[in-house]
Amino acid sequence: MRRVVRGFWGPREESVEALAGRWKRTLDRLAELLPAADPGAADGTAGAGGAPWTWQQVQSEGPATALRADEPSLLAALRAVQAADGWTDTTGTGLSLVAGNAAGWRIDTGGRAGGTSEFLLQAVLIGIEAPDGAEVPDAALLAAVAEIWEPDFGGVTDDDVLDTLEDDGDFDPDEPSVGWVGHLSPARAALLPDELAVTRTELPDGGALLDIAPRSDTEAVLAANLRLRDAGALEPLPRPMARALL
């Protein structure tokens, strides 16, 4: 089943150059952490010697186009998004990229960033489909998202977890939550209850990475989310939003 590494935050205006830099670091880190997913490695056992991957950029109209994971190419792609009809700096600038190979790996990543909306969260999402039995470094992937994008909250999750949170925990789709691995920004991490039985890793910015449960234990993930919500660690950003982090 596809898993998704997610990060969300409030309004944070950023230049297109800054966004290209964040995307470059993100794609570089994916290549480091998931070398078997290299689209240039047909059998999924070897990468392309450290060369940047070539992704497919999903377009709003027409077929996907090849996009090399270097900063000039990413900068040009982001500028094209901003030049398109209907784009506004309030919503933010998005990319939608896909890569995969014949070994059964598929990564789709996208989101919106640099926007100033008072009501729409900014986000980055990384969807991963892996061959049976393949190791996926969930905590390292979420740590990379936390480092590169500086989100307010995030997690590694899948449809089973999201359905359980919505059906049994009354979590709205846009309400803060975490998966079997979670990330909290510094102010949220400060509200972690002492009795919460999870493995906590302090991050350099004062936030926290939480190892909550095995992927299959949706009830444990639900229980942790309920406790975090009760403690105020999953309080939504006040609307209209005026800052990126709680």
Side-chain angles (χ1 to χ4, degrees):
M1 180 186 293
R2 177 176 177 268
R3 72 189 73 204
V4 185
V5 185
R6 315 190 306 167
F8 299 93
W9 62 98
R12 181 194 293 142
E13 186 174 5
E14 298 186 73
S15 69
V16 69
E17 292 82 6
L19 295 179
R22 290 191 195 266
W23 274 113
K24 172 66 164 59
R25 292 168 62 199
T26 301
L27 300 182
D28 284 350
R29 196 68 61 84
L30 288 173
E32 293 170 7
L33 294 173
L34 299 170
D38 187 343
D43 61 0
T45 60
W53 292 6
T54 296
W55 294 71
Q56 295 296 311
Q57 182 184 0
V58 179
Q59 307 289 344
S60 57
E61 296 182 1
T65 55
L67 180 66
R68 191 168 171 81
D70 57 51
E71 200 152 344
S73 300
L74 290 163
L75 183 58
L78 290 165
R79 284 177 170 158
V81 170
Q82 292 185 350
D85 290 342
W87 178 81
T88 71
D89 57 0
T90 301
T91 301
T93 304
L95 277 181
S96 180
L97 307 174
V98 178
N101 59 34
W105 287 92
R106 186 181 189 277
I107 305 173
D108 58 90
T109 182
R112 55 182 175 268
T116 58
S117 173
E118 297 176 332
F119 299 98
L120 180 68
L121 287 170
Q122 305 295 287
V124 63
L125 308 173
I126 303 169
I128 301 166
E129 297 178 37
D132 291 343
E135 295 276 343
V136 178
D138 292 331
L141 288 162
L142 185 57
V145 167
E147 173 194 338
I148 295 167
W149 291 97
E150 304 170 83
D152 188 28
F153 63 93
V156 186
T157 188
D158 60 19
D159 286 345
D160 287 346
V161 169
L162 293 175
D163 289 345
T164 298
L165 292 177
E166 185 173 354
D167 296 342
D168 299 336
D170 293 326
F171 279 82
D172 292 331
D174 62 347
E175 186 176 353
S177 65
V178 296
W180 58 87
V181 184
H183 165 261
L184 299 176
S185 61
R188 295 184 184 279
L191 297 172
L192 279 168
D194 293 336
E195 73 277 9
L196 187 66
V198 302
T199 300
R200 172 176 174 170
T201 301
E202 301 285 345
L203 298 176
D205 68 350
L209 202 69
L210 309 177
D211 187 352
I212 291 173
R215 179 180 184 178
S216 59
D217 195 347
T218 57
E219 292 305 314
V221 176
L222 172 62
N225 274 275
L226 293 172
R227 184 67 191 93
L228 289 169
R229 184 167 65 181
D230 289 345
L234 297 179
E235 185 73 17
L237 283 168
R239 263 61 166 186
M241 295 184 291
R243 58 187 188 273
L245 309 180
L246 188 69

